[in-house]
Amino acid sequence: MSQPITIDIWSDIACPWCYIGKRNLEAGLAATASDEDAPQVDITFHSFELSPDTPVDFDGDEIDFLAGHKGMPREQVTQMLDNVTAVAAKAGLEYRFDLLKHTNTVKAHELLHHAKAAGLQHEMEERLMSAYFTEGKHVGRVDDLVELAVEVGLDAESTRAALESETHLPAVRQDQAQAQAYGIQGVPFFVLNGQYGISGAQPADTFTNVLRDLWAKRDGAGAGETAEAEEAATV
């Protein structure tokens, strides 16, 4: 049996486009599921902090943060959030920026590595993003993160111990170093088979087409075919 296509995703759970990109990838995969020879994939999430200097308890809402962090007029920030909310809705997500609690995400990234070790990374990624963007839950404090971890099946005691001791912080930093080595400056960023990059929350069709192309050429692709796949995947 052929090896699955590896998809390494650099993202931040506090990145609205990352959640949209995740949904679009899932839709792209769903579109290939009925193929006679459906692509097989192995997905891994990697840490990327968009705003590592953010305090755990930010005093203000998302408009306050973006207006202060990016120096944008509040009216422009509001328009930008309305736009991303509309795009999210098309992906089946109901963003609630009015409830969102902006926070530092390094502990959430540590939790994702803890969940990965238990085979629950995908479930934890989904739970964190849903909690942050649609439910207004705090995802920066240990107590709140432990509660979310238990919801996906992780042990509360071992999760708390891992977060308080920063067991997985080196893995977070390693992900960030790899992102820097790849030249990744924004997320989401998808690396397929360690060679082909897809930047941003691309439409589901983009993922469908790239996955089918790479899967069809997985065995004995010539140099020309490989170059063609790279061109198709780098967007």
Side-chain angles (χ1 to χ4, degrees), residues 21-178:
K22 179 177 180 293
R23 276 293 184 275
N24 288 349
L25 171 62
E26 291 165 352
L29 283 167
T32 70
S34 60
D35 291 0
E36 183 176 349
D37 184 20
Q40 303 300 306
V41 301
D42 183 9
I43 300 172
T44 303
F45 291 94
H46 298 275
S47 303
F48 191 102
E49 291 180 89
L50 284 173
S51 302
D53 57 343
T54 303
V56 172
D57 292 299
F58 177 75
D59 185 18
D61 59 19
E62 186 71 354
I63 296 176
D64 294 327
F65 175 80
L66 290 173
H69 188 72
K70 295 184 178 296
M72 299 167 59
R74 294 181 66 86
E75 295 77 10
Q76 185 179 350
V77 173
T78 300
Q79 184 177 11
M80 183 179 69
L81 294 180
D82 288 343
N83 175 64
V84 73
T85 298
V87 176
K90 293 179 181 179
L93 299 169
E94 185 180 354
Y95 280 4
R96 292 295 305 272
F97 287 108
D98 57 321
L99 301 177
L100 188 148
K101 294 179 175 60
H102 203 84
T103 186
N104 189 288
T105 61
V106 69
K107 284 296 178 188
H109 285 295
E110 291 178 42
L111 176 56
L112 285 168
H113 280 279
H114 181 67
K116 179 183 177 182
L120 291 169
Q121 189 192 44
H122 291 193
E123 292 83 353
M124 196 73 255
E125 181 85 13
E126 176 65 28
R127 188 67 195 96
L128 285 168
M129 286 183 160
S130 176
Y132 186 73
F133 283 110
T134 73
E135 302 168 41
K137 292 182 178 292
H138 203 298
V139 297
R141 299 182 298 233
V142 170
D143 287 347
D144 299 273
L145 290 171
V146 169
E147 288 183 11
L148 294 172
V150 169
E151 290 183 24
V152 304
L154 291 168
D155 175 72
E157 185 176 346
S158 64
T159 299
R160 181 180 296 279
L163 293 177
E164 291 180 346
S165 65
E166 300 183 342
T167 300
H168 301 285
L169 184 58
V172 173
R173 299 305 182 215
Q174 184 177 359
D175 277 353
Q176 294 169 330
Q178 183 62 65

